[in-house]
Amino acid sequence: MFNEARRMNSAVLQALVVAGVGAVVALLVGNTPPLLAVGAVLGLLTLALFLQRPDYALLGVLLVRASSDLSVVLQRTTGLGILQSGSSNVVLIGMLVVAGGLFILARGVPLLGLPAGRLMLLLLFIGLLAAYRSDSRLLSVSEWVPVLAGFIAYSLAAYLFRTPRAIRTVLDVIAASFVLPAAVGFYQLIRHEGVVVAAFERPRVTGTFVHPNPFGFYLVIMLALFVSQALVQQGRRRIVAFLGSCAAGVLLLATFTRIAWAGALIVILIIAFYRSRLLLLAVPVLGLLAVLMIPPLAERLADPLGGSLADRFTRLWPATIGAWLAATGSEPTLLSVAVSRLTGLGPGMGLLLAERGGYFRFSPAHNDYLRVLVDYGVFGLLMFVASSIVMVVFAYRTLHGARATDPFLASVALMFLSLSLAFPIMSFTDNVFGYTANQLYFWALAGLTVGVHHLAHSDARESRPQKAFLSS
């Protein structure tokens, strides 16, 4: 009876979506050029497929999102950009949110049971309330939806991929997403293209991303994936993982993103500590060779706390705090001041504060903790910090539970443990939170770690009776 009711709810939800799709198609055909209408219809058909197979939706987004900003790169370097990155990303994330959200509602996916699930839901709820009160609801919603997409990716990955084979498939798809960004990154490196900075001899490579920093954060994820898998895989998989590690390392250096270098160092140290102490010896040797062979690296490291980082400490962050205090303190009553400071001005409002203040035009605070404080308030900041701590503890416990069962499963938990420690560090000097190109991969790996946790505990429960029998 319960299954019948669940199927009925799913059918009703899909019927509503089909009706909405029909209305949108009719509107598009009548009011848009034929080429755009055909593209929209194809996108809606893809959405219909994703409604039936949300696992395909997640895998498709993970495969494509790392390259969906390519049109901006082409437009900037060659003038060949055809599609706007913003519109393509909206379609991608929209399909994931709609298909994944309907699946979660229809199947009753236990969101509250996920590690940090309650904290993330509270953060989303606070952000939605703040968006309703913000000066620009459209901007706030557009900044809130990527956070929702990350949580949906987390929920879907934890629910749908719970076998070693399924987990391996997701890792293969994420690895495949690296092919095009790596190709573009090496093309830029060879051709001396990218973001030109007066202080450097060479441009900073961006790959398929719009800026070197998010490309650097993505490369930290790929480095964690490839290095962890190179230590446990055999044959061709090990060779591919080794080559991927080398490619990600070279491109990461070429981004000249210091905080991403710090994140990569944390990843390597954590993996080396648990899997191969030889990596601990390789890190300083490789770092010294890189500095000697690439002069701009030495220039970047000569003053690690100077340049743009010093500007953050002395100008950007104090100005952000001052602008937030002024904006929240201008409320007419003490109650409204308290509400604004506790629940935030709304997702994305840090961008407007920066624009109005003129201290860093069209840029957030380059600090996720300040950004969450402005956008989500004190309550949101507490949820954000608490969820980061919970994920680190969860990954640590999962790793220790999986190490006794399966090396591959342990490598997935180790990969996520290294990232769960690296990302909060990188958040201190840049904006990682809410940027879908990185958050989707991070939270998908978090979902896989949930699957590893269940597999490790089920294997442990099955092994206890066998041990008891053997001991008797």
Side-chain angles (χ1 to χ4, degrees):
M1 189 71 179
F2 177 74
N3 290 333
E4 289 294 332
R6 176 179 289 181
R7 282 195 291 268
M8 180 64 71
N9 291 335
S10 178
V12 171
L13 286 171
Q14 293 188 22
L16 291 174
V17 172
V18 170
V21 167
V24 172
V25 170
L27 182 65
L28 287 172
V29 172
N31 296 279
T32 59
L35 184 61
L36 290 179
V38 170
V41 171
L42 290 176
L44 292 172
L45 290 174
T46 305
L47 173 60
L49 171 64
F50 284 176
L51 288 172
Q52 297 295 324
R53 295 297 303 267
D55 51 339
Y56 287 176
L58 180 57
L59 292 175
V61 173
L62 292 176
L63 179 63
V64 174
R65 181 58 187 92
S67 303
S68 59
D69 292 334
L70 181 60
S71 60
V72 173
V73 178
L74 290 174
Q75 198 167 31
R76 182 173 57 211
T77 59
T78 65
L80 296 177
I82 300 173
L83 298 175
Q84 290 296 320
S85 168
S87 60
S88 61
N89 290 336
V90 167
V91 171
L92 277 175
I93 301 307
M95 287 194 296
L96 177 63
V97 168
V98 172
L102 288 174
F103 178 83
I104 288 170
L105 291 174
R107 295 294 182 91
V109 176
L111 303 178
L112 296 179
L114 292 170
R118 291 179 175 86
L119 296 172
M120 289 297 295
L121 284 173
L122 282 173
L123 180 64
L124 286 167
F125 180 70
I126 291 171
L128 192 60
L129 288 179
Y132 178 77
R133 298 172 45 254
S134 71
D135 293 342
S136 176
R137 293 180 182 175
L138 181 61
L139 173 63
S140 290
V141 170
S142 67
E143 293 290 320
W144 179 81
V145 168
V147 182
L148 174 63
F151 186 67
I152 287 177
Y154 176 34
S155 306
L156 290 177
Y159 187 82
L160 295 171
F161 304 104
R162 288 199 172 191
T163 65
R165 182 177 180 180
I167 292 172
R168 196 185 303 273
T169 297
V170 180
L171 295 183
D172 289 344
V173 169
I174 295 176
S177 76
F178 178 63
V179 173
L180 189 55
V184 175
F186 278 110
Y187 176 83
Q188 294 172 338
L189 184 61
I190 295 170
R191 301 269 300 179
H192 288 205
E193 295 180 356
V195 174
V196 177
V197 179
F200 304 145
E201 296 178 3
R202 301 177 65 95
R204 301 174 63 189
V205 301
T206 63
T208 53
F209 292 71
V210 296
H211 192 272
N213 289 13
F215 186 37
F217 303 144
Y218 170 76
L219 291 171
V220 171
I221 296 174
M222 301 313 300
L223 194 65
L225 189 154
F226 286 128
V227 172
S228 63
Q229 294 307 297
L231 296 174
V232 298
Q233 299 292 347
Q234 300 295 329
R236 287 180 296 179
R237 283 184 174 272
R238 170 171 284 185
I239 295 174
V240 171
F242 175 76
L243 294 176
S245 301
C246 296
V250 171
L251 291 173
L252 182 59
L253 292 175
T255 64
F256 297 104
T257 306
R258 287 173 295 188
I259 194 61
W261 295 348
L265 181 61
I266 293 171
V267 165
I268 297 298
L269 291 178
I270 295 297
I271 294 176
F273 179 79
Y274 280 100
R275 290 293 308 176
S276 175
R277 303 298 171 86
L278 290 177
L279 280 176
L280 294 175
L281 299 177
V283 169
V285 174
L286 293 176
L288 180 61
L289 289 175
V291 169
L292 293 176
M293 295 176 63
I294 310 176
L297 291 181
E299 298 173 10
R300 188 68 163 165
L301 293 172
D303 187 13
L305 299 179
S308 59
L309 184 58
D311 187 65
R312 287 169 169 80
F313 281 103
T314 60
R315 189 168 66 96
L316 181 57
W317 294 346
T320 300
I321 295 174
W324 176 69
L325 291 174
T328 54
S330 62
E331 299 286 348
T333 65
L334 289 177
L335 178 61
S336 57
V337 169
V339 169
S340 294
R341 291 184 177 176
L342 291 176
T343 62
L345 299 174
M349 291 307 296
L351 291 167
L352 291 185
L353 286 183
E355 181 181 355
R356 293 168 183 171
Y359 57 87
F360 215 75
R361 187 171 177 81
F362 300 123
S363 177
H366 281 73
N367 182 309
D368 276 333
Y369 303 97
L370 277 181
R371 181 181 182 180
V372 173
L373 176 65
V374 173
D375 293 353
Y376 293 81
V378 175
F379 286 160
L381 179 60
L382 292 175
M383 299 301 105
F384 177 68
V385 173
S387 63
S388 299
I389 295 173
V390 167
M391 297 312 294
V392 171
V393 174
F394 167 71
Y396 175 80
R397 291 177 175 175
T398 302
L399 172 61
H400 280 265
R403 290 175 74 185
T405 58
D406 187 298
F408 168 69
L409 296 179
S411 72
V412 177
L414 178 58
M415 177 200 323
F416 182 69
L417 174 62
S418 66
L419 291 173
S420 67
L421 288 168
F423 266 55
I425 299 299
M426 294 190 295
S427 288
F428 273 110
T429 64
D430 219 307
N431 296 118
V432 186
F433 174 72
Y435 187 73
T436 58
N438 297 307
Q439 289 294 293
L440 282 175
Y441 298 104
F442 178 86
W443 286 109
L445 293 174
L448 296 186
T449 308
V450 173
V452 170
H453 180 82
H454 287 287
L455 288 169
H457 278 68
S458 63
D459 289 345
R461 284 193 296 269
E462 291 174 1
S463 66
R464 288 193 193 107
Q466 296 176 0
K467 290 180 180 179
F469 175 76
L470 292 173
S471 63
S472 63

